Structure formats: structure tokens, C-alpha cells
Amino acid sequence: MLLFLAACGGRDDNALVDCDINSGACVKTVAGQNIEVAFDIVPKPVASMKRLGFSVRPGGGPAAVPDTEVVLDLSMPGMYMHDNRIRLRPNADGSYEGEGVLPRCTSGRRLWKAEVIMQRKDGKEKGPARASFIFRVDR
Ligand SMILES: [Cu+2]
């Protein structure tokens, strides 16, 4: 309990933010692979305690991956907020989407990290491809 309270007391490090989610989709390239990933959340402005729609669009180079399992792992940088993983559904256009809620942080912190974990089902890759996005919620 003491540890939990201590962890909760910190401040957001806004320098970590690398995705201005309220301005539109954010794009990252998976390290070491030629896969670009676009990530978006609606509705905007993005807030906690609201039903949110998450979408991921892998695209770009030749490694664009058919038949992939895509999971979103939501966490707060530097703070344990219980596991919050969402399995995204594939759409016909190659994007993936799902719904979820970001809990309100009792400490008032508002930075979240969404890690996109993409695992091909055909076993042609050793480990999953990952891309992470750090964004700030309005409240
Ligand atoms: Cu928190």
C-alpha cells in the first residue's frame, strides 16, 4: 500500500508525450521493421472515464501484415494502473479497432501510453512488432 501511494504521488513528465492525440492520428515506425502504424482515439478531446474507440492501421512497406493479432496495452508511464489490454478487431480495410475506457487516475496524472502489439498468426515472425504512443488526456 505504501508503495502504491508513493508511486501515485508523482507528476506527469510531459516531455514524454510523443503523440498529440487531440490533433489526429499519430504515426510511428516499428523499430527494425518497415511497418508504419497509425494510432487514433475517438471521440476527441480524449478523456478518461468515457467510452473510447481505439483504432490502429498498420501500413507502409512490404512487411504490411495480413492475418495479425493486434492488442493494445494501455498503461501510465511510471505508474501501475492495473492491466488494461484491449484486443482489436480487424476491419475489411486493413485497420483494427476496439473500445475501452481509461480510468481516472486518483493522483491527477493524465499521461497514458498505448503500446500496439502486433503478432502475425502465421508464425513467420519470432516476436510481436510493437509501437508505443504516449499521449495526454484532457481530464
Ligand atoms: Cu495513474
Side-chain angles (χ1 to χ4, degrees), residues 5 11 37 66 110 126 130 137:
L5 289 172
R11 290 239 174 121
V37 180
R110 292 191 281 166
K126 307 133 261 160
R130 294 167 184 266
V137 296

Side-chain angles (χ1 to χ4, degrees), residues 9 12 16 21 26 31 43 62 65 74 76 81 86 88 94 96 103 107 111 116 118 125 136:
D12 281 333
L16 294 175
I21 198 66
C26 299
V65 277
L74 298 161
M76 287 192 122
M81 289 293 288
I86 301 168
L88 304 185
Y96 295 78
S107 73
L111 290 197
V116 178
M118 296 163 287
E125 283 171 328
R136 186 175 175 83

Side-chain angles (χ1 to χ4, degrees), residues 4 7-8 12 75-82 103-112:
F4 176 72
C8 257
D12 281 333
S75 62
M76 287 192 122
M79 184 174 174
Y80 178 64
M81 289 293 288
H82 301 286
R104 180 161 294 149
C105 186
T106 51
S107 73
R109 290 169 72 161
R110 292 191 281 166
L111 290 197
W112 283 90

Side-chain angles (χ1 to χ4, degrees), residues 22-36:
N22 287 329
S23 296
C26 299
V27 179
K28 289 280 190 76
T29 302
V30 176
Q33 296 183 47
N34 199 8
I35 308 173
E36 273 198 340

